[in-house]
Amino acid sequence: MRLFYVTALALLSVGISINATADTLQMPGESPQMGQSQEMEMPVRGMHKDQVRAKFGQPKEILPPVGDPPITRWVYDGYTVYFEYSYVIQSVANR
């Protein structure tokens, strides 16, 4: 029985050490440090367009609504904000 516990413990520790290693995916044109400690403040889900404009200023570009429900994009330096009707549904960092 003791051999069972020793074997189980050995297999468990090997499994943990295998799972503890991971690869880092690097996108083309991206420096290894990019994304680390480069967090920028962006509008959050549920904010109204008026709140976004008041807090983040006028966007560089406002793209017309597309689809049903209408999805509008506001492009800022560094990120794009997606609205459904007048509310933020997503903010995404630009490449």
Side-chain angles (χ1 to χ4, degrees):
M1 192 66 158
R2 181 178 170 111
L3 179 59
F4 171 76
Y5 288 119
V6 171
T7 304
L9 182 60
L11 289 174
L12 180 62
S13 65
V14 168
I16 290 171
S17 66
I18 289 172
N19 290 334
T21 61
D23 292 329
T24 302
L25 176 63
Q26 185 175 344
M27 300 301 289
E30 181 179 324
S31 68
Q33 297 300 319
M34 190 173 187
Q36 296 176 359
S37 72
Q38 263 192 337
E39 293 185 27
M40 69 177 83
E41 187 177 5
M42 294 187 280
V44 295
R45 184 181 191 95
M47 288 180 78
H48 191 273
K49 285 181 177 181
D50 295 337
Q51 293 173 308
V52 173
R53 190 175 276 121
K55 184 169 184 176
F56 297 94
Q58 186 67 23
K60 284 182 13 179
E61 182 178 7
I62 297 177
L63 298 159
V66 176
D68 184 30
I71 305 297
T72 306
R73 291 183 289 160
W74 287 10
V75 180
Y76 285 88
D77 287 331
Y79 60 92
T80 300
V81 183
Y82 293 83
F83 294 90
E84 182 176 305
Y85 297 106
S86 294
Y87 295 93
V88 174
I89 56 172
Q90 185 77 35
S91 295
V92 179
N94 298 336
R95 285 186 174 208

